[in-house]
Amino acid sequence: MIGTGYVGLTTGACFAHLGHAVVCADIDVDKVQRLRAGDVPIHEAGLAELVAEGLESGRLSFVVGGANAVCEADYVYLCVPTPQGDDGSVDLDYLKAAAAEIGTHVRPGAVVVNKSTVPVGSTLLVEQAMGRSDIAVVSNPEFLREGSAIADFLNPDRVVIGSDDPAAADLVAALHAGIGAPVMITDPASAETTKYAANAFLATKLSFVNTIAAVCEAVGADVGDVLAAMGCDERIGKEFLRPGPGWGGSCLPKDAAAIISIAHGAGYDFSLMRGVLEANDEQFKRVVGKVASVVSLPGATIGLLGLAFKAGTDDTRNSPALEVAKLLLARGAKVRAYDPAVAAVDIDGIIVVDDPYAATEAAEVLVVATEWDEFSRLDLDKIAESMAARHVVDARNIMDREALLSRGFSYQGIGRN
Ligand code: UDX
């Protein structure tokens, strides 16, 4: 397993759990030392337990550098980051470097599996970077969600394998025999496109939901009721229909930008997707607009509940909470924030406190930006006492509106009046 981020570490720990011998490699020496001691650097439900299990059984080990992991391997998984380049394109430098490093060390007959999210043509690129035309490179995109990555790995909706080499595809399929999900074998271009298309569709669904919420506000409808009724149509589905402050994370924004760039490179203007991104930027601004509608922002103190991009993770990459906070700061407000999983952020001006009530202290507006359960169970009397004015902008629709109104708060959710 090359790379011990969310994908590599989850995949490695799960394969060890399924009985395979797994060696995970990373270039970060400190991280490898921590992992050897069972210290998992990310907040992911059940992952620390699986890593501990793998270390104890001896089926899971950690080394520095990909070359040290692959010599004996039947399968080599590339799980390195493929970040967004400045122009929205996909930066493949980590992937090329990892492939070049392992090239001479992979044993003949092994299969290299590309799990990193990569554009069409990347199986060939990996083959070339390895300098090994004798090694089959197979695309096997991951669809794990942070916060439920282990469950998603062990009970996936589908396993997608893309290869021009049927024998290599069958070898990778065989690894998933114990998992009980449909295995779909296709060509590399289709497998690679599936990942971008799936994430682009999810992003589209969320931007649609958030724009319907705006329509609901404008016409006096309740988005909760509208979406509940819409979701009963099986073609629409109930999942992924929660309105919010915009969507974020390490995948959706990067993959949505990438598919626009990939399409552009292939001569197609993906204007629909550009609209999806614009609607998301608009959503961050709409949340700030709600705050500005009840307080003059310059000099105002805003309490922010949530920093992670969603509940169940400590990940703040492309977090809507931070996008909202940055806009508030830019308009002269002071931000006091609390998140149960995030102790610090790298943005000047955000004061991170270690208790939700400390975030509400002297605040004129309280903004709920991440849907942590505990935010729906706060002591509202305590909050009413500590705030300088009683205004709530609930960008996740999780607080008790009636209870807030009865305590003299103004309440604005998303898509509900
Ligand atoms: C996503 C994809 O779901 C996963 O399949 C892919 O492999 C990686 O990217 P993840 O980044 O973990 O997973 O987050 P996800 O659960 O999809 O949430 C993305 C964003 O959408 C978050 O900001 C979340 O708060 C928001 N969201 C999600 C909503 O606003 N409403 C919803 O109903 C669902």
Side-chain angles (χ1 to χ4, degrees):
M1 208 64 58
I2 314 298
T4 60
Y6 276 97
V7 176
L9 192 56
T10 302
T11 307
C14 285
F15 273 138
H17 175 70
L18 293 173
H20 301 287
V22 183
V23 184
C24 291
D26 205 288
I27 49 174
D28 182 337
V29 181
D30 284 348
K31 194 172 180 189
V32 168
Q33 268 161 1
R34 283 179 68 179
L35 287 166
R36 279 180 180 154
D39 178 7
V40 173
I42 49 179
H43 179 105
E44 182 61 50
L47 186 56
E49 289 80 354
L50 278 197
V51 168
E53 178 194 286
L55 288 169
E56 197 169 321
S57 68
R59 288 197 295 270
L60 184 63
S61 58
F62 297 93
V63 297
V64 176
N68 296 319
V70 302
C71 304
E72 313 264 303
D74 298 315
Y75 301 88
V76 177
Y77 277 77
L78 296 174
C79 306
V80 295
T82 49
Q84 187 176 330
D86 292 338
D87 56 354
S89 65
V90 186
D91 178 348
L92 295 172
D93 287 353
Y94 292 111
L95 187 72
K96 285 190 245 176
E101 188 197 348
I102 61 170
T104 52
H105 302 275
V106 176
R107 65 168 193 77
V111 181
V112 171
V113 185
N114 216 346
K115 246 200 182 326
S116 301
T117 300
V118 288
V120 171
S122 298
T123 49
L124 188 62
L125 179 132
V126 166
E127 199 181 299
Q128 285 167 348
M130 285 198 305
R132 293 283 297 272
S133 53
D134 61 316
I135 298 289
V137 182
V138 172
S139 164
N140 172 218
E142 60 78 23
F143 301 98
L144 310 177
R145 287 164 301 174
E146 288 181 25
S148 54
I150 307 278
D152 287 348
F153 185 91
L154 297 172
N155 299 294
D157 294 327
R158 75 305 208 186
V159 174
V160 178
I161 296 169
S163 177
D164 293 324
D165 178 338
D170 286 346
L171 280 171
V172 178
L175 267 187
H176 298 83
I179 284 179
V183 174
M184 312 180 84
I185 297 182
T186 181
D187 58 275
S190 302
E192 288 158 347
T193 304
T194 301
K195 174 62 191 280
Y196 286 108
N199 274 353
F201 184 80
L202 291 172
T204 305
K205 196 170 182 186
L206 293 177
S207 275
F208 183 85
V209 162
N210 287 334
T211 46
I212 283 297
V215 173
C216 286
E217 284 169 21
V219 302
D222 185 291
V223 78
D225 290 349
V226 171
L227 293 171
M230 271 172 66
C232 291
D233 184 329
E234 283 181 8
R235 293 168 303 172
I236 296 171
K238 293 184 195 307
E239 298 297 321
F240 239 68
L241 278 189
R242 280 176 287 114
W247 42 269
S250 65
C251 287
L252 258 49
K254 143 178 110 63
D255 293 352
I259 202 165
I260 296 171
S261 159
I262 290 166
H264 178 75
Y268 176 68
D269 175 19
F270 203 157
S271 59
L272 173 65
M273 209 60 216
R274 284 194 281 110
V276 167
L277 287 181
E278 275 163 30
N280 204 35
D281 280 340
E282 204 50 47
Q283 191 66 4
F284 307 141
K285 292 182 195 146
R286 292 187 69 247
V287 174
V288 175
K290 286 172 190 284
V291 180
S293 74
V294 289
V295 74
S296 163
L297 285 176
T301 298
I302 312 299
L304 182 67
L305 292 181
L307 291 164
F309 81 95
K310 65 175 184 179
T313 179
D314 59 354
D315 197 343
T316 58
R317 284 176 289 175
N318 287 312
S319 172
L322 295 188
E323 296 302 329
V324 167
K326 283 190 273 188
L327 292 171
L328 289 168
L329 290 169
R331 290 180 62 176
K334 298 178 205 140
V335 177
R336 287 172 69 80
Y338 166 75
D339 188 293
V342 183
V345 286
D346 203 9
I347 296 174
D348 280 350
I350 301 182
I351 298 166
V352 182
V353 294
D354 57 7
D355 177 272
Y357 301 102
T360 66
E361 237 167 69
E364 283 157 83
V365 187
L366 182 61
V367 178
V368 181
T370 310
E371 74 281 26
W372 289 105
D373 245 7
E374 68 177 77
F375 297 158
S376 60
R377 294 193 304 264
L378 294 173
D379 180 339
L380 300 182
D381 293 319
K382 203 166 161 184
I383 292 176
E385 288 285 292
S386 67
M387 285 180 71
R390 297 184 182 181
H391 300 292
V392 167
V393 173
D394 179 8
R396 296 284 186 171
N397 290 355
I398 57 169
M399 293 197 84
D400 184 340
R401 174 174 51 183
E402 304 312 323
L404 284 163
L405 293 176
S406 72
R407 287 167 176 80
F409 282 90
S410 77
Y411 176 91
Q412 296 177 81
I414 303 287
R416 55 206 302 227
N417 289 319

